[in-house]
Amino acid sequence: MARKNYSEEFRRQAVDLYESTPGATVRGIAEDLGIERGTLRHWLERYGTGKKTAANGTLTRTPLTTRRSSSTVSAGIDSTVSETPEKQAARLQARVAQLEAENAKLTTEREILRSAAKYFGRGDELVNRFQFVADHQHAYEVKRLCELIEVERSSFYAWQAAAPARQARAAADAQLAERIRTIHEEDSTMGAPRITAELNDGAGQAERVNHKRVARVMRAEQIRGYRRRRRVRTTIPEPADQKVPDLLRRDFTAPAPNQRYVGDITYLPIADGTNLYLATVIDCHSRRLVGWQVADHMRTELVLDALQAAAATRGSLAGAIFHSDHGSVYTSKDFAKLCAELGVTQSMGAVGTSADNSLAEAFNATVKREVLQDEACWPDELTCRRQVFRWLTRYNTRRRHSWCGYRSPIAYEAFTAATLPSAA
């Protein structure tokens, strides 16, 4: 069955897909996404910009917007026909005053944000926001500055109150950096552990320095000991309390939906050399993509969001198995904690063996092959997100799968739901 509840992000993506697809129709996009036409029309009225891409690539007004605008104009004319000249003049003067005030406010906000932009490209973004407020608090109200750059006033004041302590730590770190540099110049092979021992040799208890602090200062000052180059590893497991067994043994089948899932992460190459990353949760019974997430990073949040999306689609994942490789995000404690909360049992194949997760690997290859076709990468991030979103939703609702007897995954689940009771 199709989903009953859709997130606001999904609704906005559906509207963007309709407006950006040349020659798209409400009926065609609704069928691709597996939703009712009336539902999509409602989303267009609520989230739409009023423009869509015509078949020739030009922007044009949507019919919905035209009708709505006409009715709004008619209502406006009706409400002003009975106005006297004096009332009309007063209303227009009030409107002019309101617009002038709004314009002055927007001008000020634009000036503030233009100044703030210079701060956001440096290091720690949150600290830079606080520093911006500190530098401009005599020209503008702190409350207004914090609202515009989206920080809490209490957090700013706490950061400001801690300034003396930060300055003292920075001065102490600068002195320590000089001592480290002196030792490192004598023997450039020394790393943080050996330099820490050198610093603490003969020092009193109050003067001893922690090896973590030494490593932090060395990183900040780009002081490195010699290290033999190694082969680069892209998958680094995080130590876990217990080993996760392989519960599937390359058997990627299930007698019914919501019993066995596989998942993986794949990169989506962009023309500027960067990548987006797609995390998936696929049902072994129907090959349905139950949950996914696209992001510009490979942190644990990526797979957490994908699994939570799957739980929202199914309603519950209790009792299900989720199979993956030994990527660090899947072996992380945060992912294990979420699986426990959702009642999901983890399963993992052998390290370095892609065949143990071949279903997810094959899905990743299919996405890029069918969306990119003869292209090597996507021209930009927005195009990538739009095209992948459309393909993933259409994969579930429209794309015929050989495993499903050339039905779509959602249609296959409906088919098996109707046939399984009779078979029993």
Side-chain angles (χ1 to χ4, degrees):
M1 295 177 61
R3 291 170 56 183
K4 298 295 184 183
N5 298 317
Y6 299 89
S7 65
E8 183 173 350
E9 179 185 4
F10 184 94
R11 299 176 186 182
R12 291 184 181 276
Q13 286 180 314
V15 171
D16 177 72
L17 182 63
Y18 169 78
E19 293 182 344
S20 63
T21 302
T25 63
V26 173
R27 178 177 182 179
I29 296 297
E31 290 178 351
D32 281 350
L33 302 181
I35 60 178
E36 297 293 333
R37 280 176 283 176
T39 301
L40 181 56
R41 289 196 187 96
H42 175 70
W43 294 350
L44 288 170
E45 292 177 356
R46 183 173 181 181
Y47 303 106
T49 63
K51 296 182 179 180
K52 68 180 298 290
T53 305
N56 59 4
T58 61
L59 290 178
T60 182
R61 286 180 173 272
T62 63
L64 291 174
T65 303
T66 303
R67 291 196 298 269
R68 186 173 54 193
S69 300
S70 299
S71 61
T72 302
V73 170
S74 299
I77 292 174
D78 293 339
S79 62
T80 58
V81 165
S82 58
E83 280 187 342
T84 64
E86 292 79 6
K87 289 183 178 180
Q88 186 177 27
R91 177 176 57 81
L92 292 176
Q93 289 176 356
R95 180 58 176 163
V96 169
Q98 179 186 0
L99 292 175
E100 289 177 346
E102 291 178 355
N103 183 62
K105 179 181 178 181
L106 291 174
T107 301
T108 303
E109 291 179 353
R110 184 169 62 250
E111 293 174 355
I112 293 174
L113 293 175
R114 185 183 294 114
S115 301
K118 303 174 183 178
Y119 286 73
F120 294 162
R122 319 171 190 164
D124 189 324
E125 182 180 347
L126 183 59
V127 172
N128 292 333
R129 290 172 186 257
F130 290 151
Q131 189 62 54
F132 169 77
V133 176
D135 293 345
H136 294 79
Q137 60 181 329
H138 301 297
Y140 306 100
E141 293 181 355
V142 171
K143 178 180 179 181
R144 191 171 189 182
L145 290 170
C146 291
E147 288 176 349
L148 282 176
I149 63 174
E150 298 179 351
V151 295
E152 295 292 335
R153 273 189 297 168
S154 58
S155 300
F156 164 71
Y157 286 126
W159 175 85
Q160 192 175 44
R166 286 197 304 276
Q167 293 173 357
R169 285 196 299 271
D173 285 348
Q175 294 177 359
L176 178 60
E178 289 301 319
R179 296 172 59 194
I180 292 173
R181 189 172 288 107
T182 300
I183 296 172
H184 190 263
E185 288 175 353
E186 296 178 0
D187 185 355
S188 62
T189 67
M190 296 179 68
R194 294 171 61 194
I195 289 181
T196 303
E198 188 75 16
L199 290 169
N200 290 331
D201 187 21
Q205 187 67 28
E207 299 175 355
R208 294 181 67 84
V209 61
N210 185 276
H211 71 281
K212 293 183 179 179
R213 183 185 174 197
V214 173
R216 174 176 58 79
V217 173
M218 289 180 66
R219 284 195 302 271
E221 298 294 327
Q222 297 186 350
I223 303 173
R224 301 181 181 88
Y226 174 78
R227 179 177 296 179
R228 186 177 179 181
R229 293 183 178 180
R230 302 177 182 177
R231 180 182 176 185
V232 177
R233 297 176 60 194
T234 57
T235 300
I236 304 176
E238 181 182 16
D241 296 334
Q242 59 182 358
K243 292 184 177 180
V244 177
D246 184 352
L247 302 178
L248 299 192
R249 300 290 180 180
R250 302 187 184 180
D251 178 13
F252 303 110
T253 63
N258 202 23
Q259 294 185 1
R260 287 183 169 188
Y261 294 95
V262 298
D264 196 11
I265 297 177
T266 189
Y267 73 97
L268 307 173
I270 309 300
D272 61 3
T274 61
N275 296 313
L276 292 178
Y277 299 92
L278 168 65
T280 56
V281 180
I282 305 168
D283 194 310
C284 291
H285 171 73
S286 62
R287 304 309 197 247
R288 179 178 178 179
L289 183 62
V290 181
W292 79 85
Q293 183 64 30
V294 176
D296 58 357
H297 61 80
M298 285 184 60
R299 296 190 295 271
T300 306
E301 293 90 342
L302 178 63
V303 294
L304 295 180
D305 290 344
L307 190 62
Q308 288 171 336
T313 300
R314 290 303 195 192
S316 172
L317 297 179
I321 295 173
F322 179 81
H323 182 83
S324 67
D325 58 22
H326 277 77
S328 59
V329 291
Y330 292 115
T331 58
S332 66
K333 294 180 176 60
D334 287 341
F335 189 76
K337 179 181 178 182
L338 178 60
C339 287
E341 292 174 353
L342 297 177
V344 174
T345 302
Q346 282 189 267
S347 170
M348 292 185 184
V351 176
T353 305
S354 60
D356 285 353
N357 200 22
S358 58
L359 174 56
E361 297 279 356
F363 179 88
N364 293 339
T366 301
V367 174
K368 286 186 275 192
R369 182 180 67 250
E370 295 193 3
V371 179
L372 283 176
Q373 297 183 7
D374 296 331
E375 301 295 332
C377 58
W378 280 273
D380 54 73
E381 181 178 326
L382 180 59
T383 301
C384 177
R385 288 182 180 274
R386 284 174 172 173
Q387 292 182 355
V388 171
F389 170 73
R390 181 173 190 176
W391 190 93
L392 294 179
T393 51
R394 194 177 187 278
Y395 167 87
N396 280 332
T397 60
R398 300 286 299 279
R399 185 183 181 278
R400 297 181 183 274
H401 202 300
S402 59
W403 172 264
C404 303
Y406 292 99
R407 301 178 179 88
S408 70
I410 289 181
Y412 182 73
E413 288 188 357
F415 171 76
T416 55
T419 56
L420 283 176
S422 61

